[in-house]
Amino acid sequence: MKDIPASVACIIAGGDIPADSLVVKLARSADLVVCADGGARHASRLGIRPDVILGDLDSLTPAGRRRFHRVIIRRFPDQESTDLEKAIRYCVSLKIAGAVIAGAAGDRLDHSTSALGCFRKFGRKIRLMLVDRAGSLTLLGPDEKIPMKRGETFSLIPLDRCRGVRLDGARYPLCGETLQLGVREGISNAATGVSVRVRHSGGTLLLYRLRPPVHPRRAVGGRPGKPRRNR
C-alpha cells in the first residue's frame, strides 16, 4: 500500500453521511478510499469498494468481511484513539496530501467533538475536509482568501484561543479580535462579495461553509486526476 501514488483520500466513517450521491462522488474522485470500521456498512450499501478497512473492527460484521474479502483489512486495537483518528493517521503514514471525510458527524455529540479535534491533531500534517449533510469544514491557515458566492453563509469556529482574527469581505467583519469557544465565536456570517479573506495570528480556526464541496480534490490540495473506478 505504501507504493500507491495517492494525493487525495476519501475516508468513510460510521456516523451519519451526507447525500449518497455526494459520498459516491467523493469516493470516485479519490485516489484511496479508507473505511473507518463501521464506514464499511455505508460503502457496502452504496456499492463503493474501499482500498482499506481499518480500526478496532468491532463494527465490521462477518457479512462485511465476506463482502470485502479481497479488501485489505487492518485491525488496530488501540483504544486511546478513535477509528477516524486511526484512518487519518494511516493516510498521514502514506504521505497523502489531503483527505475528505464523510460519516464523522452523527447523533452522538462525543463523536462529533472528537472529529473536530482531528483538525487540531492532524491539521498540520494533512489537509482535511469534513463533510456533513449541510456543508463542509476545513482548517484555516494564517492568511487565506476563499472564493465564495455573494450572500453565502459561513462560520468561523475556534477550537482554542484564536488571536488577531481579521475578516474582510463579510457582513460582519473582524478587525484583530480574539475568538474562543464560550467567549466569542463567529457563527452565521455571510459573504458580501465573491471572496472573503481570513487572517489570524494564532490558534486553531475552522471554516464551516453551508454548501457541499464543489471541487473536493482542489479543496484538500490534491492533484487533478481521472475519476477512480470501483473495482
Side-chain angles (χ1 to χ4, degrees):
M1 293 300 298
K2 290 188 178 182
D3 293 328
I4 294 177
S7 62
V8 172
C10 174
I11 298 175
I12 305 175
D16 290 343
I17 60 172
D20 291 353
S21 59
L22 176 59
V23 178
V24 172
K25 176 184 176 183
L26 294 175
R28 284 182 55 83
S29 66
D31 302 301
L32 185 74
V33 176
V34 181
C35 284
D37 201 354
R41 296 195 304 269
H42 296 310
S44 179
R45 181 178 63 81
L46 297 176
I48 297 170
R49 182 184 172 187
D51 296 290
V52 183
I53 300 172
L54 55 78
D56 57 19
L57 303 184
D58 61 350
S59 298
L60 184 62
T61 64
R65 288 181 178 273
R66 290 193 298 271
R67 170 72 174 80
F68 295 120
H69 66 282
R70 294 185 178 180
V71 173
I72 294 174
I73 298 176
R74 293 190 174 179
R75 181 173 181 268
F76 296 96
D78 168 31
Q79 294 301 311
E80 297 299 319
S81 60
T82 66
D83 289 327
L84 176 59
E85 290 177 45
K86 294 179 176 73
I88 296 173
R89 190 174 290 112
Y90 180 79
C91 291
V92 170
S93 73
L94 296 181
K95 295 181 172 55
I96 291 174
V100 184
I101 303 166
D107 56 0
R108 285 188 54 172
L109 187 59
D110 55 346
H111 286 174
S112 298
T113 302
S114 175
L116 292 181
C118 288
F119 285 93
R120 195 169 191 272
K121 292 178 181 178
F122 303 105
R124 313 301 177 189
K125 300 177 181 179
I126 181 172
R127 190 159 178 84
L128 300 174
M129 171 184 280
L130 191 156
V131 181
D132 66 8
R133 292 182 181 274
S136 58
L137 187 70
T138 54
L139 176 69
L140 287 169
D143 186 348
E144 293 202 26
K145 185 176 182 180
I146 306 103
M148 289 193 182
K149 291 184 177 181
R150 189 183 304 273
E152 181 181 337
T153 301
F154 69 93
S155 296
L156 299 180
I157 303 174
L159 291 188
D160 43 30
R161 191 168 183 266
C162 297
R163 303 178 301 279
V165 182
R166 303 185 67 87
L167 172 62
D168 300 305
R171 181 180 301 164
Y172 308 110
L174 297 171
C175 300
E177 282 101 328
T178 296
L179 297 184
Q180 186 174 356
L181 284 176
V183 180
R184 184 181 184 184
E185 297 89 12
I187 307 300
S188 292
N189 211 327
T192 57
V194 296
S195 67
V196 299
R197 185 181 181 187
V198 186
R199 289 167 285 174
H200 65 101
S201 57
T204 309
L205 188 61
L206 306 182
L207 171 70
Y208 184 75
R209 303 178 67 175
L210 285 178
R211 58 181 297 186
V214 179
H215 301 291
R217 293 183 66 90
R218 191 180 305 166
V220 295
R223 301 185 302 270
K226 295 181 180 180
R228 176 184 185 276
R229 293 182 179 179
N230 288 314
R231 300 179 299 279

